[in-house]
């Protein structure tokens, strides 16, 4: 039987910050944290915050609020989605790493708008993009895999580290044979490439995208059109890579030329190939895991930055697959944990 710890009471006095920024409008942040830590009584009064409960739990909640206060002081405007993530992190890992996301000395992408990682998984992803010429980002929908890759590419182009950006996607539904579809080339491939255009529009703006396309600085194309080419001085992104075969994956990776970088993104739980086990993204991992110059990043439901229900949906699917003893979500490559620690 677990011994009951003595209860403690702690008081935090908010200095140089508006309590609303920490408590949330109408105390919405406080209520969410209270629901998550039901065994700790949390009360906000004016500029004071009172915590009561078992010492270990109170210290965890105190650390969470201290991180929130520090972020507000640094100019961060907290959102409800931030609080949900910080709370889940504190519950699962005890907190302590949240401030890493908002290190003022850390360099992020300054584009049409500032792009910063919103989770620790994304922070590791950004670090890998800075360190490696080839990065695999594997994880569920909504974790920012494509968006951060496009941000890194646009940033590299702005800093003249590369001369062009090439964005690639497999057109699985048409069997990589687009000839029978109506319209010209661009109209044929647009449905498959629209998510990449969406990220570009957010980071560059429509006028600059069109100029870059006209000048050949930016290229958006299906994977089928990469065969036989060599990408020099380019930042190349292969999106939805779970829908490549191992042969297509090898073909893509061997397109890289001098002074080029590549990011390969995908979700191994959403393979659209007739036989999911043929996925190049699944089969490439044990082949390249031990190449030190290649980074593998594994994002999870905790890194989802869309609607908070998306996190719960993904977790429910993962739990269901694990419970049935089948499905891509239970796949764990032998070196995955080792690679995650290295990143």
């Amino acid at each position: 039987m677990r011994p009951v710890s003595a209860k403690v009471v702690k008081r935090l006095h908010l200095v140089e910050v508006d309590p609303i920024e920490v408590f949330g409008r109408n105390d919405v942040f406080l209520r969410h944290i209270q629901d998550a830590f039901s065994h700790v009584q949390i009360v906000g009064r004016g500029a004071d915050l009172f915590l009561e409960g078992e010492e270990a739990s109170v210290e965890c909640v105190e650390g969470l609020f201290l991180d929130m206060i520090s972020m507000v002081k640094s100019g961060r405007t907290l959102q409800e989605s931030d609080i949900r993530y910080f709370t889940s992190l504190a519950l699962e890992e005890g907190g302590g790493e949240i401030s890493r996301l908002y290190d003022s000395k850390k360099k992020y992408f300054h584009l049409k708008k500032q792009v910063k990682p919103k989770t620790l998984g994304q922070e590791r992803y950004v670090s890998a993009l800075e360190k490696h010429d080839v990065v695999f980002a594997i994880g569920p929908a909504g974790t920012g895999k494509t968006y951060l890759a496009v941000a890194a590419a646009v940033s590299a182009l702005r800093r003249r580290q590369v001369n062009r950006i090439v964005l690639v996607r497999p057109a699985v539904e048409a069997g990589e044979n687009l000839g029978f579809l109506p319209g010209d080339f661009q109209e044929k491939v647009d449905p498959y490439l629209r998510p990449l255009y969406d990220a570009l529009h957010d980071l560059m703006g429509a006028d600059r995208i069109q100029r870059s396309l006209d000048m050949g600085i930016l290229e958006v194309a299906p994977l089928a059109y990469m065969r036989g080419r060599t990408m020099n001085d380019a930042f190349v992104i292969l999106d939805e890579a779970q829908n490549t075969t191992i042969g297509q994956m090898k073909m893509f990776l061997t397109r890289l030329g001098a002074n080029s970088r590549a990011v390969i993104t995908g979700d191994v739980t959403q393979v659209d190939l007739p036989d999911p086990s043929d996925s190049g993204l699944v089969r490439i991992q044990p082949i390249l895991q031990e190449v030190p110059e290649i980074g593998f990043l594994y994002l999870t439901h905790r890194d989802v930055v869309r609607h908070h229900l998306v996190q719960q949906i993904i977790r429910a699917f993962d739990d269901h697959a694990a419970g049935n003893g089948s499905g891509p979500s239970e796949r764990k490559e032998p070196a995955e944990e080792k690679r995650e620690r290295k990143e």
Side-chain angles (χ1 to χ4, degrees):
M1 188 173 184
R2 186 172 71 89
V4 178
S5 302
K7 285 191 174 183
V8 298
V9 178
K10 289 203 173 184
R11 169 180 170 266
L12 291 177
H13 182 65
L14 278 61
V15 179
E16 299 177 0
V17 295
D18 184 345
I20 292 179
E21 294 291 316
V22 179
F23 299 166
R25 195 163 296 279
N26 298 320
D27 290 346
V28 64
F29 298 167
L30 286 187
R31 289 200 301 274
H32 179 75
I33 297 172
Q34 178 67 84
D35 289 343
F37 290 90
S38 57
H39 45 294
V40 176
Q41 185 176 359
I42 304 171
V43 178
R45 293 175 184 162
D48 291 320
L49 180 68
F50 297 90
L51 309 174
E52 181 178 357
E54 292 185 10
E55 185 174 5
S57 299
V58 168
E59 286 182 354
C60 183
V61 176
E62 180 186 31
L64 171 60
F65 276 108
L66 288 174
D67 276 338
M68 291 167 58
I69 292 168
S70 177
M71 283 182 277
V72 170
K73 285 184 177 179
S74 69
R76 169 77 177 182
T77 299
L78 297 177
Q79 307 292 333
E80 193 168 352
S81 58
D82 295 325
I83 306 306
R84 291 182 184 277
Y85 175 65
F86 299 157
T87 303
S88 68
L89 195 66
L91 283 169
E92 294 183 32
E93 296 187 2
E97 293 188 287
I98 295 172
S99 57
R100 278 177 48 195
L101 291 171
Y102 305 101
D103 183 352
S104 59
K105 297 178 182 178
K106 185 83 174 173
K107 295 180 180 178
Y108 298 116
F109 307 120
H110 297 270
L111 306 170
K112 182 182 175 186
K113 66 179 185 179
Q114 190 178 66
V115 179
K116 287 187 174 184
K118 296 182 179 180
T119 70
L120 290 177
Q122 289 189 352
E123 197 271 341
R124 288 191 290 268
Y125 181 21
V126 170
S127 295
L129 291 171
E130 293 173 346
K131 291 194 302 184
H132 299 290
D133 286 340
V134 177
V135 174
F136 286 82
I138 301 169
T143 51
K145 303 183 301 295
T146 301
Y147 195 87
L148 288 172
V150 173
V154 176
S155 179
L157 183 66
R158 278 194 167 189
R159 297 199 301 265
R160 302 183 184 277
Q161 294 175 339
V162 296
N163 293 331
R164 58 177 170 154
I165 299 172
V166 182
L167 307 178
V168 183
R169 259 194 171 203
V172 169
E173 296 82 354
E176 290 287 3
N177 181 7
L178 305 176
F180 69 90
L181 294 175
D184 60 20
F185 171 79
Q186 205 60 48
E187 290 171 332
K188 293 176 193 289
V189 301
D190 266 356
Y192 306 105
L193 306 176
R194 179 49 50 189
L196 296 173
Y197 280 116
D198 290 342
L200 285 170
H201 274 273
D202 202 26
L203 297 168
M204 294 178 66
D207 292 343
R208 189 175 175 202
I209 290 173
Q210 191 57 55
R211 288 197 304 272
S212 298
L213 287 168
D214 293 341
M215 297 170 63
I217 296 173
L218 174 64
E219 179 181 354
V220 187
L223 178 61
Y225 290 82
M226 293 296 105
R227 191 173 299 278
R229 300 178 61 185
T230 300
M231 302 286 105
N232 292 318
D233 296 305
F235 197 118
V236 192
I237 299 172
L238 173 58
D239 195 35
E240 296 292 328
Q242 76 273 6
N243 290 327
T244 65
T245 64
I246 189 63
Q248 289 171 325
M249 180 67 76
K250 180 181 178 182
M251 180 272 289
F252 171 79
L253 291 171
T254 53
R255 298 308 91 203
L256 289 182
N259 191 40
S260 287
R261 300 166 62 185
V263 180
I264 300 93
T265 69
D267 178 0
V268 294
T269 70
Q270 296 193 31
V271 180
D272 297 320
L273 297 173
D275 183 355
S277 66
D278 287 337
S279 170
L281 188 59
V282 172
R283 295 179 62 187
I284 200 68
Q285 294 177 58
I287 296 173
L288 298 182
Q289 279 276 5
E290 299 306 316
V291 179
E293 291 83 5
I294 295 177
F296 279 85
L297 262 294
Y298 296 89
L299 302 168
T300 71
H301 68 275
R302 281 173 44 195
D303 299 302
V304 171
V305 292
R306 293 179 183 170
H307 193 288
H308 69 90
L309 282 177
V310 175
Q311 277 195 6
Q312 298 179 43
I313 291 167
I314 291 170
R315 189 167 194 172
F317 269 93
D318 287 347
D319 291 345
H320 177 74
N324 287 341
S326 63
S329 64
E330 70 169 356
R331 182 185 302 277
K332 192 74 170 179
E333 299 300 335
E336 178 174 329
E337 291 294 339
K338 178 180 177 182
R339 177 66 69 177
E340 286 178 325
R341 288 194 297 271
K342 286 172 67 176
E343 289 303 321

